[in-house]
Amino acid sequence: MLEEAKSDVEQEPILSDYYYASITSHRSLASALAHILSVKLSNSNLQSNTLFELFISVLEESPEIIESTKRDLVAVKERDPACISYVHCFLGFKGFLACQAHRIAHKLWKQKRKIVALLIQNRVSEAFAVDVHPGAEIGKGILLDHATGVVIGETAVVGDNVSILHGVTLGGTGKQSGDRHPKIGDGVLIGAGTCILGNIKIGEGAKIGSGSVVVKDVPPRTTAVGNPARLIGGKENTRKLDKVPPGLSMDQTSYIAEWSDYVI
């Protein structure tokens, strides 16, 4: 990132002060992350220096968060063709930033500091239009692509190497309390505008087509699409996906040829 920042400033000297404050003046990724989040999430009543001190205190005692941040940076760079550099992601991709803010909020939530954890959730929702309850468990190597309108409930669990597009809801059914949100396996791809509702399991390496409404378990390495969602091939002849998880390949359309008499 430091090399990328240097190159960017050489091309656009007007950005030198911004890059210095955001990246090159910091001695660690933790410090740079605490800074960019504190700037993005502050307002007139919640000063950036206050947030910085909170964020850096959590990050310095939580090396696992920084490791997850590195994995998320790589995930965005590898899976999103619109991402031109790690610096580009770090400074401007709100899905990435929302995810890192959630990691801090989740740590505070587990420490029983629920008021400040919920405050971070609220500011992330206002600043990035991403609403993730601090109780939700999020894995490593996460891509929130575009991210606008993503909602993840309190008892949801998201595995590693998962890709989630904009407008996705991992929510409850409105009928239950307690453990009431979806459990998403490793390597899952969830298309834009999808709703996954209730304490159900989306199996490892599964793909959920855009605009689907899922209310039942989805087996590993299968594709579910529609409202209500159905398995491609049905229950008896379910088509299994390739070994490369869709959460990594970002292949969103291979199921179309198998979907009924779909015609344009």
Side-chain angles (χ1 to χ4, degrees), residues 25-257:
S25 66
H26 297 277
R27 296 184 177 181
S28 67
L29 179 60
S31 177
L33 181 60
H35 170 80
I36 193 68
L37 290 177
S38 66
V39 170
K40 296 281 189 178
L41 299 180
S42 62
N43 61 26
S44 58
N45 296 313
L46 187 61
Q47 300 299 310
S48 61
N49 59 344
T50 301
L51 288 175
F52 178 84
E53 293 301 326
L54 172 65
F55 294 161
I56 195 63
S57 68
V58 173
L59 293 172
E60 286 182 341
E61 66 179 23
S62 307
E64 73 279 4
I65 295 181
I66 297 303
E67 181 60 31
S68 295
T69 298
K70 294 176 182 178
R71 291 275 298 273
D72 293 348
L73 277 168
V74 172
V76 177
K77 182 66 168 57
E78 290 183 347
R79 297 178 216 163
D80 187 351
C83 181
I84 63 175
S85 68
Y86 294 113
V87 168
H88 182 210
C89 171
F90 188 82
L91 296 180
F93 275 44
K94 67 178 186 176
F96 167 79
L97 293 170
C99 192
Q100 308 324 306
H102 166 76
R103 297 189 189 285
I104 295 172
H106 182 65
K107 183 76 172 186
L108 293 166
W109 183 264
K110 292 195 298 183
Q111 294 174 344
K112 307 300 182 183
R113 299 180 66 183
K114 294 188 175 183
I115 295 174
V116 70
L118 290 168
L119 175 62
I120 295 171
Q121 177 197 1
N122 174 255
R123 287 299 302 133
V124 169
S125 179
E126 292 175 339
F128 301 136
V130 177
D131 193 356
V132 184
H133 192 283
E137 299 180 20
I138 307 293
K140 299 181 287 292
I142 302 299
L143 169 61
L144 300 182
D145 197 2
H146 301 290
T148 300
V150 168
V151 177
I152 301 178
E154 177 183 4
T155 60
V157 177
V158 177
D160 296 336
N161 301 318
V162 172
S163 294
I164 299 175
L165 277 83
H166 50 285
V168 167
T169 296
L170 306 181
T173 63
K175 299 179 180 179
Q176 298 173 327
S177 58
D179 192 357
R180 60 196 182 279
H181 296 108
K183 311 297 181 281
I184 311 299
D186 296 344
V188 169
L189 171 62
I190 306 176
T194 292
C195 291
I196 303 176
L197 305 176
N199 186 11
I200 60 175
K201 294 181 180 180
I202 308 301
E204 182 175 328
K207 180 192 303 184
I208 311 299
S210 298
S212 299
V213 177
V214 186
V215 293
K216 295 182 179 179
D217 291 351
V218 175
R221 293 180 54 221
T222 62
T223 297
V225 61
N227 181 6
R230 300 175 185 176
L231 296 176
I232 298 300
K235 291 183 178 180
E236 302 301 324
N237 299 294
T238 304
R239 178 178 174 178
K240 291 289 186 177
L241 296 170
D242 295 334
K243 292 183 179 180
V244 178
L248 297 179
S249 70
M250 297 299 291
D251 178 5
Q252 300 183 56
T253 59
S254 64
Y255 60 81
I256 292 295

